[in-house]
Amino acid sequence: MTGVRCEVALALVRAARAEAAASGVPMAIAVVDGGGALVAFARADGTPFPLTEVAIGKAYTAAAFGRPSAEVAAVFDGRVQFTTSISVATGGRVMLGKGGVPIVEDGVVVGGIGASGGSGEQDLAVVEAAVAAVVGRLPDSP
């Protein structure tokens, strides 16, 4: 399998939207496959449109590195030249911050899910809840 299945991606977006709605925070939710291509997306009414790209970037980062986007941010902390280089090399797709987690099936990273609209903690809680509900377990960090 090269990436997250469409039906799984759509289920993840639905679960994340429900979690975000329950918290009262409008969010953009994105799911990408293992190569970073967008598979499913939703932006709640009232979510500023620039957060679309932020959610996609968090999902991309989690899929690309196989770990939560916040962990990638911690690894890159203080490495301004490297962070700038990776941003340029990926066309700005790498998004460092809380709110993106990899999607793991049978021990393989098949994609990532990202959210943007709340605090980093709120974004992270939404995607973790969606992955736990749909995939049945949170991805293991390397």
Side-chain angles (χ1 to χ4, degrees), residues 57-59 61-63 65-77 94-102 113-115 120-121 123-125 127-128 141:
K58 289 177 182 181
T61 301
F65 291 93
R67 58 194 329 172
S69 56
E71 287 183 17
V72 177
V75 169
F76 292 164
D77 187 41
V94 170
M95 185 64 54
L96 303 175
K98 292 180 182 176
V101 297
I113 180 172
E121 290 76 18
D123 294 348
L124 181 60
V127 296
E128 285 181 337
S141 297

Side-chain angles (χ1 to χ4, degrees), residues 22-98:
S23 72
V25 179
M27 291 187 183
I29 310 292
V31 175
V32 301
D33 66 16
L38 186 63
V39 179
F41 175 80
R43 181 171 60 91
D45 294 344
T47 306
F49 69 85
L51 298 183
T52 295
E53 298 304 324
V54 175
I56 294 169
K58 289 177 182 181
Y60 176 91
T61 301
F65 291 93
R67 58 194 329 172
S69 56
E71 287 183 17
V72 177
V75 169
F76 292 164
D77 187 41
R79 299 172 67 191
V80 176
Q81 185 174 3
F82 182 75
T83 303
T84 301
S85 297
I86 204 133
S87 180
V88 170
T90 63
R93 293 189 74 194
V94 170
M95 185 64 54
L96 303 175
K98 292 180 182 176

Side-chain angles (χ1 to χ4, degrees), residues 7-16 128-137:
E7 60 273 8
V8 172
L10 291 169
L12 284 164
V13 167
R14 282 191 301 273
E128 285 181 337
V131 170
V134 174
V135 179
R137 59 184 161 75

